Structure formats: C-alpha cells, structure tokens
C-alpha cells in the first residue's frame, strides 16, 4: 500500500515538474483571420427562455461560488486573431476604431427599414421587464415593440435607449433598429383580438404630453426565429457555428468596458437575443444586444438600489468580506438616498472606478474579461468623440438641455478614467510591421491620452524556444511612434516590449512575433 | 486516520493526473484556432493551479449541481402560476386563513417542526401554532387580537391559550453557583437533572398606545404547571436532586393567577431591521397561588436598550440590560422554582435551559449590528448573566458569559431567519431559526 502511495506521489511530482516549463505562443505564418466562418448552414438550434429567479441564482450563486473552487486563471479570449484583433462574425463587426464613423453615421447606425409609419395597429400587449408595452404593425406591415418611459421618470429611458443603442452599434454589436417614436391616440388602431380597454388603460397609466402625444421607444422586431437570450456561459446546443464558450469571447468580454462606461448595470441574458436567420437547416444564428433604456444611472434610480454599479445584487464573497470588516468601512454609495435620488446621483464621475465597477448580477463574459480584452475595447472607446455624443443626445428631442450636457460631460470624464486605468494595465504598444530591419511601434497610450512623458521601454528578444537571444534593450522615447532595431536573420523572433511610465512598469509586456522578417503575431 | 489521509491524497493525485496531465485537456476541443498559433502558451503557475483545481473537481461539481438545482427550484417557485398554486395551498377558507411551516433548532435539543395558521380581517388577527416532535414534546398555542384606533390612539386587546408538554427541561439548581448553594440538595455531582413539564395557560391582555411610540399594557393569565421528576435521557431530576428540597416541586401542579401592568416605549422606525432609537419596557405584576400552591409573590423588571448609530446610520451599537425579579409576600410559602427569573435573553445556552435562576436575574449585553448586503445583516454580541437572591448577593464572580456572531436574513424589511454561534462559559451554542424571528421579546410568552 505504501509503495503504491509513494509511486503516486512521485508520479504527481514528475507530472508537475514536467509541466512546469514556461511556453510562449509560437505563431504560424498565416494571414490574420479577418472574418470568422460562423455563418455556415446549421440545423435550428435549441431555444431557451429567461427566468429572473433562475438567472439570479445562477449568476450570483452557481457560477461565482463554483468559480471560487476553480483556481485556474481565466483563459485568453478565443475569438482573437494573430494580430490580437477580433474578426468580424455573427457577434461583432468592426466599426468605431476601425472605420471612419462620423457622428451622423453613428446616429444612422443600424437603420435600414426605418421608424414606424402611422397609423399603427396594436397586435399584442406585452410585459417587458418591469414596464409594459405592446407590439404594433405599421402602415407598411413592419412590426415594432413599443415601450414607454416609466411614469416617475418621463423622457429617461427613451433618451438613454436611443443614445446607447447607437453607441453599441458603433462598438460593433448587432442591435435592433430603435427609434424615438411619437403618436397620438388617433394614430393607433387596435387589432380585433386585443381588448381595446387594455390598451387605453395602459395609455392612461403612462400619460400623454400636453399635445396629446405619447413618447415611446419603437424597436423594429428582428427577422428570423427567436432562440432566446445569449447564454452567458458555454455555447448554444445544436448551433454548429457556436464553438467558443461565450465567456471566452472577447466580443462579449469587451462589455466590461462598454457597460462600465455607460453604467449598463442591468446587462444580463435577457438584454441579448439570438435569432436564427434563414430557413431551418440552412440558416445560422446571429447575436444581438438590446434594451438599453436602463443605462446612464436609470437602472439604479428606477429600482431604488443605492449600491447599483458598486456592488452586485448579491455576492457571497462581498458578504463574507463585509462580515469580516464589521461594517467599519462606509461605501460612497451609502450616502445615496433611494427615496430622493435622481438619475444624476447614480451616473457620476465621483467615486467611479473602472476596476471597481460592477454589474447588477455577475455576467460571466464581463467577469472573465482580461486586461488584453479591456485594452482592445478601450481602443474602440477612445474613438468615441464629444461630437458623436452631442449628435446622439441632440437627436433625442429631450428638452432637458442641462441634464443632457451633464450626461455628455460625465460620459467624457468616465471615458477618460477608463482609458487611464486600462492603458496602465497593459503595455499599450502596437506595431505596423517591419521597415528597414526595424520593428515600427506605436504607443497607443501616448496616441490616445497624449502628453505623456517619462516613458521608457524595456525590450527583450527571444527565439521560438523561449530562449533569450540578446541583451535587454532600454529605450527612452516620448514620441508616439518609434522603432526597435531587430536581428533580421532570425527565423523566429519574439520581441517583448514592457512599457515603464514614471518609473513604474506595466503589469504585462506586449509581444511581437516575427517569422522570416514578417510580423505574424501580437499578444498583449 | 493516516490511511484515510493517504487514500484522500491518492484520490486527489489521480484526479490531478487525469484532469491536468495536459493543459490542452482543459481547452475546448472545438475551439477554433483563430489566433493562428503553432504552440499554445503555458505557464508554470497555470499548470500548478490546474492540478490544484483538479483536486477541487468534486466539490466544484457538487456546488455546481446544488446551485443548478436551486436555480431550477427558484424558477419553479417564482413562477406566478406556481405562486398561485402555493397560495391556494397556504391560503384556505376563501383566503381568509393562511398557514405556514416553521422550524427551529438549538444545539443540544431536538429540532422543532411545526406550522401556524394566521387569520386577519377587519382588525381581528389570530395566530394558531403547533409544533411537534414526539408524544412528550409538543406545543399548541392560539392567540386572537383585535385592534382599533380612536384618532391617533391605538387600542389592542387579545386572548391567548397555550398547551405545552416538554420532557427535556433541564434544571441546574437555583442560585448563581448551584453546586455551592445550600438551597439545592444534589444526589449526584451531575450538572443538571431533566424533568417533564406540562403547562396550560390562558392569557388575556389589553394595550393602549396614546402615541405611536409608547403605550401601556395590562396582562393577566391563569396558568397550571404539571411537573414530573423524570424525562428524556438518563439525567432524571430525581436521580440528581433531592426533589423534596426543590421549592414548589412537591406542590405540583403549580396553579396561579397573574396580573401585571407594563409601560413600553420604542422610538425606532423599524423594529425588525437595523434602526436607531431607544426601547424600554418596565413592568410589575402580582401572582396569586391557587389549589396546592400557597405562594403569592410580586414580579417586576425592566428591559432597556439603546440603538446607537456608529460610523453610519445603519450600523448600531446596542447596549442592553434585562432585569427581572420576584419577591414573595410570605416567607413561609416559598416561590416555586419554575417562577424564578432566569436566562431568557442570555444567548450562551438554550432559552429552554434553567441554567441559572434565582429571585433576581440580570442580563447585561452589548451588541453591534451592521449590514452585509440588502438581504443580510451581521451582529456580534457579548452577554452576561448574573443571578442572586438579593441585590447584595449579585456579583460577577459566578456570572456566565457568552460571545457570539450571527447573520440575519431578511427580505422586504422583515427578518425571516437567523443563524447564530456563541461560545462562552457554557461552551458552544448554535441556533438556527427560519420563519420565526428571535428578536421577538414578548414577555407574555413567559415560561
């Protein structure tokens, strides 16, 4: 018995030691994947429904607690090409940060069919989350979901939804065509299957403005077979194109940056939608994000949750920490009074930190996001300008100009905070390739933030066996663009660039892999 | 033990090897190589962490499976149709009546399962409860109350009945140091003796609250206690004590009529959640013995607590003192031991134990309450218990103490459960309740 035990111990040690060698990526000499081939014909996959209680227990209990028992670090995203970019797919299309999107382009965003044409006919009444609405058919036969502002907060959700819908389109996500849509009672017909008094009772509840108009969000129903919300973990069964667990998709992990910026604390499965496009057996699944009304502080204020954006709805880990802390530390959000707060009190620059921001219920892709994923997302975020924001808010037809200006200023400031934090969490350098035996480098931190000084670089050179092949090179260079001389005779060369700012080194290096004098791989 | 350890180690190692032999085993087999790599990145730390995680494979799957079930259950129970069906079960007789299950357990005792029936209509409320463990361990109580407002003045009147039998009452002797107290005659050096008590009580009360925060209560009851010097387990009272020397035991059943007046003030906004304020209750009453019981005595006491915000409004420090006393009118007819004040609010032992009792009992305590989340709050406390026949006999030397921590579960400003650990002079005490808040401190439930 003891002999068996000893053997097992030795086996285990051998196994551990044998696996101990550090191995780095070795890239093949292939062109970067620009588009994922995930639109292949697939059988109609399984569908799923959403239940709040089930999702809450799963998100706040099952995944985090079983996650604490898994000591492995989150893996790198799997939908990333050799240049550390996300290829176009059914999840993501490169827009802001990759193509020139003017403010008007952004406002146009997903529109192809357009807003509802009056008169409209109610064909179904519907409960949407905590609010009510209905599905209508317009004069052209297109179907829309009509949603109202909460009675206590007129203009709030309709304004937020339009702005954030267009921003998420700009970030590269698929979103429905959303519009701010006004109608009067006499623009509205009611289908014979619907009880007209139900519709009138709803209209009475939400109330018309002084001109008798109802202000709403009209969301064009997405064509195809609705499968349900996107699973926050794993893949959709039966979808042959869905091969990467969703928590490992950078296109979804990037939500950490975008949701923190916009305070989209309600990000969860039912704010997404998978739709099967095409006939059964010949179609594929396309992934959408939707329902952006409860952003920019709206989620917290409407639900009266002072902790919104700062704490999860429930976290065993946080509760244990608070138990140990004995309540000695007062959180800034505790000064919010849910009875008297406004959306402004919830969407703030003060006390905002990207690192500390939390969505209401832990959403796995956000939880698994790594610094290289955040870095990729902030390069997109950096391309959103004040002009973009002004154009979007101007289009909301919201007369509260002072409030809109507050939102714009807050968005600009929160963006700056996120950029500062994330660009310090990696070595934010990119390469445009090799020219005259020199690796051309761009410091994205300098390019995005500007005016940085006291920047230096520590550069190491390795071969494909992870052996250091020359002395460490120290560079001091304050320009955005500079170059690194390399040994062009190497078959395979890895150049590790670590940025030092004000004498403090970045937590991780950027790697540039060069094969036969050609840049073949980038890792951040 | 050594063998168990080695077997466990083997198990972990085998799992480590199976699940961590190659890092690629962890990768999704179907994950496409979009990154264009020939060789994956592997770090020493990752391999080690993977091996350690493999050792946690079974606990992880257990947690995963448990929460998967919990999530599915949550889905079912939150379904409006299900809720309606459950309400159909819980609400009966045209929905005027509701019943609910209850559960409580204190370490060292058998759990109590039970149910309650609640009725509320037109200012009349009634609650009937029963709990059952076996034929010698059960209780049944029913209470009806009627509340009416005359302007801002609240008037409440109630009647209640109780029938209870417990075969596990523990008597440790009277006095602050029972073993040394000459009023007890021990037959064997054990701590306590177990006896059986059968109690019947009919209670009536009437309260008037001239203002929301304060009011007066008149309380009266008729009570009959039957006592038997044996009970569950080996420690029969008759084997531990000379029963004839225990005040009141030979006169059982102990029958009495009691009348009391009390004054209560509570300035807190919410007495179920962490809230600042002050609470005090003072009372005095007279008990007249009936049948075999010739003992007439006066009962008096106070329960005073301040809820002082510290750091923030929702963190409170609660200094509290509970004082209870009795005094006989005639020395020739001593007060039955069952009527002595004891450790009702002391959290170091079960409130079912008569661990310390005498004519006077003090329970000073200090508690700190703070929020953990919007559904959980924590509390830490230290309690002491001192008893004695007169004020001059009260001293800390023989006092009991307990310190503990606990978590309260609440939802929508109502406490619905509590888990609490305490350690102290009497060892370890764990209490878990669900459906019945422990913060209820109604003395009308005097035992």
């Amino acid at each position: 018995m003891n002999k068996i035990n000893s053997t097992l111990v030795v086996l285990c040690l051998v196994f551990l030691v044998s696996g101990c060698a550090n191995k780095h990526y070795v890239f093949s000499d292939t062109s970067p994947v620009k588009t994922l081939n995930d639109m292949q014909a697939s059988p109609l996959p399984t569908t799923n429904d959403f239940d709040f209680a089930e999702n809450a227990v799963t998100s706040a209990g099952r995944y985090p607690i079983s996650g604490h028992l898994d000591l492995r670090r989150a893996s790198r995203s799997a939908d990333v090409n050799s240049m550390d970019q996300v290829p176009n797919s059914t999840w993501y299309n490169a827009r802001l940060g990759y193509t020139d999107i003017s403010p008007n382009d952004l406002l146009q965003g997903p529109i192809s069919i357009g807003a509802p044409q009056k008169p409209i006919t109610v064909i179904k009444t519907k409960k949407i989350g905590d609010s009510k609405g209905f599905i209508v058919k317009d004069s052209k036969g297109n179907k829309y979901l009509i949603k109202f502002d909460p009675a206590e907060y007129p203009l709030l959700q309709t304004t937020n939804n339009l702005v954030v819908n267009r921003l998420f389109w700009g970030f590269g996500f698929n979103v429905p065509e959303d519009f701010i849509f006004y109608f009067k009672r006499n623009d509205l017909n009611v289908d014979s299957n619907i009880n007209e008094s139900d519709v009138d009772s709803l209209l009475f509840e939400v109330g018309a403005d002084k001109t008798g108009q109802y202000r709403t969000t009209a969301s064009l129903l997405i064509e195809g077979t609705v499968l349900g919300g996107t699973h926050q973990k794993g893949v959709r069964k039966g979808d042959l194109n869905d091969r990467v667990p969703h928590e490992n998709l950078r296109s979804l992990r990037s939500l950490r940056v975008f949701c923190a910026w916009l305070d989209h604390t309600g990000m969860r499965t039912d704010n997404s939608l998978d739709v099967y496009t095409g006939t059964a057996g010949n179609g594929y699944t396309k992934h959408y994000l939707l329902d952006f009304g409860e952003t920019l502080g709206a989620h917290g204020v409407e639900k009266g949750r002072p902790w919104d954006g700062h704490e999860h709805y429930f976290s065993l880990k946080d509760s244990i920490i608070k138990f140990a802390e004995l309540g000695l530390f007062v959180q800034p959000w505790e000064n919010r009074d849910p009875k008297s707060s406004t959306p402004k009190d919830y969407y703030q620059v003060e006390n905002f930190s990207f690192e500390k921001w939390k969505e209401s219920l832990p959403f796995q892709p956000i939880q698994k996001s790594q610094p290289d994923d955040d870095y990729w997302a902030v390069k997109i975020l950096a391309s959103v300008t004040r002009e973009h924001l002004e154009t979007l808010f101007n289009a909301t037809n919201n007369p509260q100009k002072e409030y809109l200006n507050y939102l714009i200023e807050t968005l600009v400031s929160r963006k700056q905070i996120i950029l500062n934090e994330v660009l310090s969490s990696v070595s934010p350098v990119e390469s445009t390739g090799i020219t005259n035996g020199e690796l051309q480098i761009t410091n994205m931190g300098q390019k995005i933030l500007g005016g940085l000084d006291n920047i230096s670089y520590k550069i190491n050179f390795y071969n494909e066996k992870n052996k250091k092949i020359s002395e460490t090179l120290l560079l001091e260079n304050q320009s955005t663009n500079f170059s690194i001389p390399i040994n062009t005779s190497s078959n395979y060369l890895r150049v590790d660039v670590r940025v030092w700012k004000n004498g403090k080194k970045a937590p991780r290096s950027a790697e540039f892999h060069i094969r036969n004098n050609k840049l073949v791989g980038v890792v951040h | 033990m050594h063998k168990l350890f080695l077997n466990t180690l083997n198990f972990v190692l085998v799992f480590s090897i199976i699940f961590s032999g190659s890092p690629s085993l962890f990768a999704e087999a179907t994950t496409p190589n979009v990154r264009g790599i020939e060789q994956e990145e592997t770090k020493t730390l990752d391999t080690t962490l993977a091996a350690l995680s493999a050792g946690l494979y079974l606990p992880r799957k257990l947690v995963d499976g448990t929460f998967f079930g919990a999530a599915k259950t949550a889905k079912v129970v939150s379904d409006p149709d299900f809720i309606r069906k459950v309400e159909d079960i819980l609400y009966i007789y045209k929905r005027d009546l509701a019943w609910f299950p209850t559960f409580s357990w204190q370490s060292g005792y058998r759990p109590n399962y039970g149910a309650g029936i609640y009725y509320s209509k037109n200012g009349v409320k009634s609650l009937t409860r029963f709990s059952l463990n076996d034929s010698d361990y059960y209780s049944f109580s029913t209470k009806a109350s009627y509340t009416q407002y005359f302007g801002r003045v609240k008037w409440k009147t109630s009647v209640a009945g109780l029938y209870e039998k417990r075969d596990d009452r523990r008597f440790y002797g009277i006095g602050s140091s029972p073993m040394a107290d000459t009023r007890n005659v021990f037959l064997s050096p054990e701590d306590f003796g177990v006896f059986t008590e059968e109690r019947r009580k009919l209670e009536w009360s009437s309260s008037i609250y001239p203002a929301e925060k304060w009011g007066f209560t008149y309380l009266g009851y008729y009570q009959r206690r039957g006592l038997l010097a044996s009970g569950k387990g080996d420690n029969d009272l008759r084997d531990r004590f000379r029963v004839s020397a225990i005040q009141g035991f030979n006169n059982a059943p102990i029958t009495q009529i009691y009348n009391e007046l009390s004054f209560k003030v509570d300035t807190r906004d919410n007495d179920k959640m962490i809230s600042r304020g002050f609470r005090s209750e003072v009372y005095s009453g007279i008990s007249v013995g009936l049948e075999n019981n010739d003992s007439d005595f006066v009962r008096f006491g106070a329960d005073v607590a301040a809820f002082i915000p510290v750091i923030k409004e929702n963190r409170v420090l609660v200094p509290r003192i509970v004082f209870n006393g009795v005094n006989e009118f005639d020395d020739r007819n001593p007060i039955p031991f069952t009527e002595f004040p004891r450790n009702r609010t002391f959290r170091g032992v079960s409130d079912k134990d008569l661990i310390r009792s005498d004519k006077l009992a003090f329970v000073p305590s200090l508690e700190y309450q703070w929020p953990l989340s919007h559904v959980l709050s924590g509390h830490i406390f230290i309690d002491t218990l001192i008893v004695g026949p007169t004020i001059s006999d009260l001293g800390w030397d023989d006092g009991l103490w307990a310190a503990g921590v606990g978590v309260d579960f609440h939802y929508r400003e109502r406490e619905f459960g509590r888990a609490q650990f305490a350690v102290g002079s009497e060892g370890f005490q764990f209490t878990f309740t669900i459906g019945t808040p422990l913060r209820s401190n109604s003395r009308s439930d005097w035992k």
Side-chain angles (χ1 to χ4, degrees):
Chain A
M1 185 66 186
N2 280 342
K3 199 174 175 182
I4 296 170
N5 288 328
S6 308
T7 312
L8 277 167
V9 171
V10 170
L11 265 174
C12 183
L13 289 173
V14 168
F15 146 74
L16 283 173
V17 172
S18 67
C20 277
N22 270 341
K23 287 182 182 171
H24 272 253
Y25 280 129
V26 174
F27 284 82
S28 57
D29 186 6
T30 52
S31 301
V33 175
K34 300 276 188 191
T35 304
L36 282 183
N37 194 15
D38 65 348
M39 286 184 258
Q40 300 292 306
S42 167
L44 191 65
T46 55
T47 60
N48 57 298
D49 56 358
F50 178 84
D51 179 80
F52 178 81
E54 182 184 18
N55 180 64
V57 173
T58 303
S59 300
R62 182 183 168 197
Y63 291 154
I65 295 173
S66 64
H68 291 320
L69 296 171
D70 188 348
L71 306 175
R72 292 171 294 166
R73 295 184 292 187
S75 57
R76 286 186 185 271
S77 292
D79 60 338
V80 174
N81 68 17
S82 56
M83 292 296 117
D84 208 20
Q85 303 293 343
V86 177
N88 287 340
S89 67
T90 53
W91 300 89
Y92 168 78
N93 290 286
R95 294 185 186 116
L96 281 168
Y98 295 92
T99 55
D100 187 22
I101 307 269
S102 71
N104 281 328
D105 291 341
L106 190 62
L107 181 60
Q108 186 68 16
I111 301 174
S112 67
I113 289 177
Q117 300 297 306
K118 296 171 202 170
I120 54 175
T121 305
V122 179
I123 56 173
K124 195 175 179 185
T125 54
K126 192 173 169 67
K127 190 174 186 305
I128 312 134
D130 294 336
S131 54
K132 289 176 182 171
F134 35 68
I135 293 171
V136 301
K137 193 186 266 187
D138 76 349
S139 61
K140 290 185 173 175
N142 294 313
K143 290 178 188 169
Y144 296 83
L145 174 64
I146 300 287
K147 293 180 285 185
F148 298 88
D149 280 311
E152 309 83 19
Y153 301 102
L155 305 168
L156 182 67
Q157 285 208 19
T158 46
T159 299
N160 293 351
N161 188 78
L162 181 79
V163 172
V164 179
N165 169 277
R166 297 302 191 268
L167 284 169
F168 268 94
W169 177 86
F171 298 149
F173 294 94
N174 299 311
V175 296
E177 291 185 40
D178 285 1
F179 307 90
I180 292 177
F181 177 65
Y182 293 87
F183 67 88
K184 289 185 175 176
R185 177 63 182 88
N186 54 17
D187 296 322
L188 193 72
N189 300 316
V190 179
D191 190 87
S192 53
N193 295 327
I194 307 286
N195 189 345
E196 194 158 347
S197 65
D198 288 349
V199 174
D200 283 325
S201 143
L202 173 58
L203 292 175
F204 177 76
E205 245 177 71
V206 296
D209 66 14
K210 287 174 188 170
T211 63
Q213 292 200 108
Y214 297 92
R215 178 183 159 108
T216 68
T217 291
S219 187
L220 181 70
L221 294 192
I222 298 161
E223 284 287 325
T225 307
V226 172
L227 302 176
T230 302
H231 296 298
Q232 59 171 312
K233 198 166 186 229
V235 297
R236 181 177 290 282
K237 278 182 192 165
D239 185 352
L240 301 182
N241 294 306
D242 198 5
R243 296 162 67 196
V244 179
H246 299 167
E247 72 275 20
N248 291 340
L249 287 171
R250 177 176 284 178
S251 43
L252 288 182
R253 287 181 173 186
S254 64
L255 286 170
R256 182 173 182 223
V257 164
F258 303 133
C259 291
W261 184 47
L262 299 162
D263 206 29
H264 190 2
T265 54
M267 180 64 229
R268 55 180 199 229
T269 297
D270 66 332
N271 286 332
S272 63
L273 194 69
D274 289 352
V275 177
Y276 185 80
T277 308
T279 54
N282 296 311
Y284 62 92
T285 305
K286 203 170 167 184
H287 313 276
Y288 291 81
L289 295 185
L290 38 83
D291 205 358
F292 306 102
E294 289 187 339
T295 50
L296 305 175
H299 188 262
V301 76
E302 282 179 17
K303 297 196 168 1
R305 294 178 184 167
W307 63 86
D308 208 61
H310 296 267
E311 289 191 359
H312 296 305
Y313 186 82
F314 174 75
S315 161
L316 183 66
K317 184 179 158 193
D318 289 350
S319 296
I320 291 170
I321 291 170
K322 282 192 173 183
F323 191 82
E325 287 178 349
L326 300 173
L328 297 175
F329 303 100
V330 177
Q331 306 302 319
W333 57 261
E334 291 188 67
N335 295 320
R336 288 174 179 162
D337 178 1
K339 286 172 189 160
S340 61
S341 292
T342 65
K344 262 184 173 182
D345 299 316
Y346 281 78
Y347 193 62
Q348 291 186 323
V349 175
E350 294 79 26
N351 307 314
F352 170 69
S353 157
F354 169 68
E355 269 302 315
K356 292 181 179 171
W357 180 87
K358 287 177 182 165
E359 69 280 24
S360 184
L361 284 167
F363 188 65
Q364 283 303 300
I366 291 179
Q367 295 298 308
K368 298 288 182 192
S369 185
Q370 300 299 297
D372 54 342
D373 302 315
D374 299 336
Y375 170 60
W376 176 80
V378 298
K379 287 185 284 183
I380 294 172
L381 177 64
S383 61
V384 180
T385 64
R386 179 183 286 271
E387 290 70 35
H388 283 125
L389 298 174
E390 286 172 348
T391 302
L392 294 181
F393 278 105
N394 283 340
T396 61
N397 203 20
N398 185 329
Q400 302 164 317
K401 295 298 172 202
E402 194 186 328
Y403 173 59
L404 298 190
N405 285 336
Y406 170 82
L407 288 179
I408 291 168
E409 291 305 324
T410 306
L411 282 162
V412 170
S413 301
R414 284 170 73 112
K415 177 181 131 183
Q416 199 63 27
I417 291 169
I418 295 172
L419 294 178
N420 282 331
E421 284 189 38
V422 175
L423 290 172
S424 302
S425 68
V426 293
S427 289
V429 286
E430 302 285 349
S431 175
T432 50
I434 297 154
T435 311
N436 301 327
E438 293 188 326
L439 183 66
Q440 304 301 314
I441 298 288
T442 299
N443 184 328
M444 295 302 288
Q446 190 69 283
K447 186 177 177 184
I448 291 169
L449 300 171
L452 303 179
D453 50 17
N454 207 7
I455 303 280
S456 60
Y457 304 90
K458 201 171 182 179
I459 300 154
N460 285 300
F461 301 89
Y462 300 86
N463 64 13
E464 74 269 35
K465 306 250 186 245
N466 197 29
K467 290 262 163 50
K468 198 171 173 182
I469 54 174
S470 62
E471 289 299 305
T472 300
L473 177 65
L474 298 173
L475 263 183
E476 276 201 34
N477 196 317
Q478 310 309 319
S479 15
T480 303
N481 301 308
F482 61 98
S483 55
I484 300 168
I486 56 169
N487 180 358
T488 53
S489 62
S490 299
N491 286 333
Y492 198 97
L493 178 67
R494 191 180 93 229
V495 183
D496 283 10
V497 182
R498 174 94 69 168
V499 176
W500 287 66
K501 196 165 73 176
N502 298 321
K504 196 178 166 194
K505 71 174 180 180
R508 52 209 279 165
S509 303
E511 298 175 10
F512 299 97
H513 295 248
I514 296 155
R515 193 163 205 150
N516 300 323
N517 224 15
K518 180 186 165 195
L519 183 67
V520 291
V522 179
V523 180
H524 284 99
Chain B
M1 195 64 192
H2 173 69
K3 197 173 172 182
L4 178 69
F5 172 75
L6 284 175
N7 284 336
T8 308
L9 181 66
N10 280 347
F11 183 72
V12 170
L13 293 181
V14 169
F15 259 87
S16 303
I17 291 164
I18 292 170
F19 289 95
S20 309
S22 159
S24 64
L25 277 177
F26 287 112
E28 289 290 321
T30 54
T31 301
N33 182 6
V34 181
R35 207 181 272 268
I37 46 174
E38 282 181 5
Q39 178 183 283
E40 270 285 357
E41 112 185 300
T42 320
K43 291 185 176 166
T44 311
L45 182 62
D46 289 332
T47 314
T48 311
L49 292 176
L52 292 171
S53 295
L56 295 169
Y57 178 81
L58 283 183
R60 193 164 61 243
K61 287 295 164 195
L62 186 66
V63 166
D64 205 43
T66 304
F67 274 95
F68 177 79
K72 291 293 175 196
T73 307
K75 180 182 179 179
V76 170
V77 300
S78 65
D79 184 279
D81 286 341
F82 180 83
I83 291 170
R84 208 173 302 119
K85 280 176 190 163
V86 170
E87 283 182 351
D88 286 344
I89 295 169
L90 296 182
Y91 289 90
I92 50 181
Y93 190 67
K94 299 177 186 171
R95 295 194 164 234
D96 288 338
L97 290 175
W99 74 275
F100 53 91
T102 60
F103 173 76
S104 70
W105 178 61
Q106 291 180 314
S107 50
Y109 284 89
R110 285 165 284 171
N112 249 323
Y113 312 94
I117 296 175
Y118 181 72
Y119 170 84
S120 176
K121 201 171 188 180
N122 301 329
V124 176
K125 287 182 183 173
S126 86
L127 179 63
T128 300
R129 303 175 62 148
F130 74 91
S131 65
L132 176 68
N133 191 287
D134 58 41
S135 60
D136 290 318
Y137 186 40
Y138 57 83
S139 78
F140 174 84
S141 68
T142 183
K143 182 173 185 176
S145 66
Y146 174 71
T147 305
Q148 191 168 0
Y149 285 87
F150 301 96
R152 290 177 57 195
V153 177
K154 178 179 156 187
W155 175 67
K156 184 178 177 183
T157 188
S158 70
V159 289
L162 169 74
Y163 180 57
E164 177 187 67
K165 186 173 183 186
R166 290 189 62 121
D167 60 352
D168 60 353
R169 308 303 304 270
R170 293 176 185 175
F171 179 60
Y172 288 73
I174 55 176
S176 59
S177 180
M179 290 284 194
D181 198 310
T182 55
R183 290 174 291 177
N184 305 308
V185 181
F186 283 90
L187 299 179
S188 69
E190 303 296 333
D191 261 358
F192 62 86
V194 177
F195 65 99
T196 302
E197 179 185 73
E198 191 175 12
R199 192 157 66 105
R200 293 164 199 198
K201 185 176 180 184
L202 179 66
E203 181 185 288
W204 52 91
S205 74
S206 184
S207 301
I208 186 157
Y209 281 80
E212 187 189 351
K213 307 283 187 187
W214 60 273
F216 298 90
T217 299
Y218 158 76
L219 167 77
Y221 62 76
Y222 163 86
Q223 183 168 259
R224 191 169 196 267
R225 288 183 200 259
L227 301 174
L228 187 66
S230 61
K232 187 93 176 171
D234 298 329
N235 295 351
D236 278 355
L237 189 75
R238 61 191 169 203
D239 299 333
R240 307 289 172 233
F241 290 87
R242 181 178 296 159
V243 174
S244 58
I246 300 174
Q247 293 178 193
F249 213 103
N250 285 342
N251 295 335
I254 301 164
T255 312
Q256 66 188 131
I257 281 192
Y258 178 72
N259 288 285
E260 170 193 291
L261 192 64
S262 65
F263 171 73
K264 187 175 180 181
V265 57
D266 190 345
T267 66
R268 292 173 296 164
D269 286 337
N270 185 335
D271 62 355
K272 307 290 191 303
M273 300 274 287
I274 297 175
S275 189
R276 73 183 301 169
F278 173 79
R279 187 195 67 212
S280 174
E281 186 174 12
V282 291
Y283 70 94
S284 182
I286 292 172
S287 172
V288 176
L290 301 175
E291 298 178 36
N292 292 339
N293 178 20
D294 295 324
S295 171
D296 301 335
F297 61 90
V298 60
R299 190 190 289 285
F300 49 89
D303 181 346
V304 183
F307 298 79
I308 306 161
V310 286
I311 306 168
K312 189 82 185 150
E313 199 71 8
N314 56 1
R315 284 105 163 136
V316 293
L317 198 60
V318 191
R320 179 183 180 190
I321 186 158
V322 181
F323 160 62
N324 295 298
V326 289
N327 199 27
E328 61 268 74
F329 289 125
D330 183 349
D331 288 346
R332 289 171 301 178
N333 296 308
I335 301 168
F337 77 102
T338 50
E339 301 304 314
F340 277 5
R342 54 187 177 90
N343 45 282
R344 281 281 292 156
T345 59
F346 178 70
R347 287 169 279 192
V349 292
S350 164
D351 62 353
K352 310 293 186 295
D353 280 3
L354 279 71
I355 193 161
R356 293 290 183 273
S357 57
D358 212 322
K359 287 184 173 180
L360 300 174
F362 278 86
V363 182
S365 67
L366 186 63
E367 179 168 323
Y368 170 64
Q369 303 169 356
W370 74 101
L372 304 178
S373 77
H374 61 291
V375 292
L376 293 177
S377 64
H379 64 273
I380 53 174
F381 62 88
I382 180 156
D383 289 356
T384 54
L385 167 67
I386 50 176
V387 300
T390 65
I391 292 246
S392 58
D393 291 318
L394 292 174
W396 298 105
D397 292 347
D398 294 319
L400 307 186
W401 67 275
V405 295
V407 175
D408 312 336
F409 315 90
H410 43 85
Y411 184 65
R412 291 185 181 166
E413 304 201 338
R414 291 282 168 191
E415 181 181 319
F416 66 83
R418 171 175 284 215
Q420 186 172 280
F421 300 87
V423 289
S425 54
E426 303 312 298
F428 173 81
Q429 174 73 16
F430 173 69
T431 302
F432 177 75
T433 61
I434 195 155
T436 48
L438 277 186
R439 278 181 185 165
S440 161
N441 62 344
S442 168
R443 283 177 311 94
S444 67
D445 192 28
W446 200 284
K447 289 179 180 173

